[in-house]
Amino acid sequence: MTSDALDGPVPEAAVPGQRVLDLLDKAIAVQSPLVRKNIARARQRNPEASPEQVIRNLERMYVSALTGTGAAVGGTAAAPGVGTGIALALSAGEALSSLELSALFALSVAEVHGVGIDEVERRRTIVMGIMLGGSGSATITKVAERTGQHWGRQVVAKVPRETLKQINKILGKNFITKYGTKQGIIVLGRVAPFGIGALVGGGANAAMATLAVKASRRAFGPPPPSWP
């Protein structure tokens, strides 16, 4: 047997942590077309709701949905006949659901603020920046050399695409480290028996959602007073 198979470049998918970024891209691609439907759902009870009211509804919907999925999957380990392997598989699937919910939330808030995001690169920046919280906004403002508030608007209006690629490269590494590691810990916690997993999954997801909500407020600033 020769070592020829080891020669040549390593496939991108084999790079450690690349799967996390692949899942993120998949989540963004799936949820981007659903942004306006999500906003319509937030306005369903009150079609005359202001942008501020709609954003608050989006925040509540996001925190509730993310908390619920974490608790539901975490509770499976305590169910009769459900083994650890099945619970782990369910939890891994829920990680993608969490990314999809987070992508939908971030892009929906941007839309309400009148920040249309047509380029994939800019969507990545918005989603990762919001999910990473303070460290994400610090990276974006530093690399983009923008010192003003509300980086979410600047990313769309003023930052060149090549600069975005540099930003996303750094954000991607931070995302793998923080989100990937965090999800690994949460996944193991969710398979704990006797309902402990439900507490861990629900509580961890609630904390993650709350962080994203705060980051979105910093990213875009006060909601517009009226609809465009």
Side-chain angles (χ1 to χ4, degrees):
M1 184 174 181
T2 67
S3 58
D4 293 345
L6 300 178
D7 295 335
V10 178
E12 188 177 6
V15 176
Q18 182 60 39
R19 175 159 171 73
V20 177
L21 297 181
D22 289 343
L23 288 175
L24 176 66
D25 280 346
K26 181 178 180 181
I28 292 173
V30 169
Q31 297 303 318
S32 292
L34 304 179
V35 166
R36 293 191 177 181
K37 289 184 178 180
N38 192 42
I39 294 172
R41 182 185 169 204
R43 300 180 69 178
Q44 197 168 28
R45 292 185 178 180
N46 181 13
E48 302 302 319
S50 66
E52 180 177 7
Q53 290 172 318
V54 169
I55 287 176
R56 298 299 169 254
N57 284 340
L58 288 170
E59 291 173 350
R60 284 192 290 269
M61 287 162 52
Y62 171 56
V63 173
S64 176
L66 203 61
T67 303
T69 56
V73 173
T76 57
V82 176
T84 300
I86 295 176
L88 281 170
L90 289 172
S91 195
E94 192 270 329
L96 175 58
S97 297
S98 296
L99 285 176
E100 290 184 343
L101 286 169
S102 298
L104 181 61
F105 167 71
L107 297 176
S108 296
V109 172
E111 182 76 15
V112 175
H113 276 275
V115 180
I117 310 171
D118 297 326
E119 295 181 18
V120 172
E121 207 69 49
R122 297 184 193 277
R123 290 178 192 149
R124 290 189 186 115
T125 309
I126 291 292
V127 175
M128 285 194 291
I130 286 176
M131 291 190 70
L132 287 170
S135 64
S137 61
T139 296
I140 293 167
T141 53
K142 181 179 179 180
V143 178
E145 298 182 347
R146 306 283 178 178
T147 56
Q149 292 183 321
H150 316 321
W151 60 263
R153 295 179 178 279
Q154 297 176 29
V155 161
V156 175
K158 302 177 182 179
V159 180
R161 194 166 184 274
E162 289 304 312
T163 303
L164 281 176
K165 289 183 177 180
Q166 296 176 32
I167 292 173
N168 287 346
K169 188 173 182 179
I170 299 172
L171 289 180
K173 292 178 181 178
N174 294 340
F175 193 82
I176 290 170
T177 300
K178 293 188 177 182
Y179 187 82
T181 302
K182 184 183 295 182
Q183 277 299 119
I185 295 171
I186 295 172
V187 164
L188 292 177
R190 284 181 185 139
V191 302
F194 309 120
I196 296 174
L199 295 175
V200 173
N205 276 16
M208 192 183 306
T210 301
L211 175 69
V213 166
K214 292 180 179 178
S216 70
R217 293 177 182 177
R218 289 194 299 269
F220 297 105
S226 60
W227 296 99

